[in-house]
Amino acid sequence: MRSKIVAGNWKMNKTLSETEVLVTELAAKLPDTDAEVMVAPTYVNLVGAVRYLEGSAIEVIAQNMHFAESGAYTGEISADMLLGIGIETVIIGHSERRSIFGETDEILAKKVIAALEKNLRVIFCFGEELEDRKSGNHFNIVSDQLKDGLFNLKPEVWSKVVLAYEPVWAIGTGETASPEQAQEMHTFIRRTISNEYDDSIAENVSILYGGSVKPNNAQEIFSKPDVDGGLIGGASLNADDFIAIIKAI
Ligand code: PGA
């Protein structure tokens, strides 16, 4: 059975001391929930966050990693470095990595393979731009992103893959996909995976929605049967908002 997940992507926000304040508050206020709860602070604060959250059910995850084992890649972080500090999950392919940092489908496919080879769990992000949606091309874009990023994977590694559908026009804009639009795309994603692999992989993969999920819209989005949780940006930076979103699931 697929798990419910609420993950907070902090992006380039929060110093170490701010990280301590936020995770301590989250740990204290965390409600009883069946959902997995994760937070993704920036690299330099991962060690601290892991330490502050010792004994808590909140998992600390990474926002990105490089595909190489090690070597001359100034400024980059490897899978082993993440594993070495107790990180077991990594976000790959966030739209900001694609659009601002030029990460192509080819680079992302290599990152996914490198992470899975090290037994890290991967949250793979993808989603269409506004023009794609306006021109009715959003299903093609999403199916190409899935194909290029993931369809070279062996069936057995899919248990370590989580998907995050994040329409780019909804990220950080305050505009969300309607619950119906999210459900429609998540159904399409499951069908695409089922056609490429089989029903059991499609049914067991968690598909998160991301893009301006807030306390006031989370419950409606999460109520859709193919939406298994959310990847939360802005609203995960405030403890009460993030806790309200966790309660909504
Ligand atoms: P947002 O970000 O919730 O601020 O729109 C979502 C994301 O980028 O994962």
Side-chain angles (χ1 to χ4, degrees), residues 9 11 94 96 166 170-173 210-214 231-235:
N9 174 12
K11 309 188 180 183
H94 189 278
E96 287 144 23
E166 300 204 298
I171 296 178
T173 59
S212 299
V213 177
K214 308 285 178 204
L231 183 56
I232 322 297

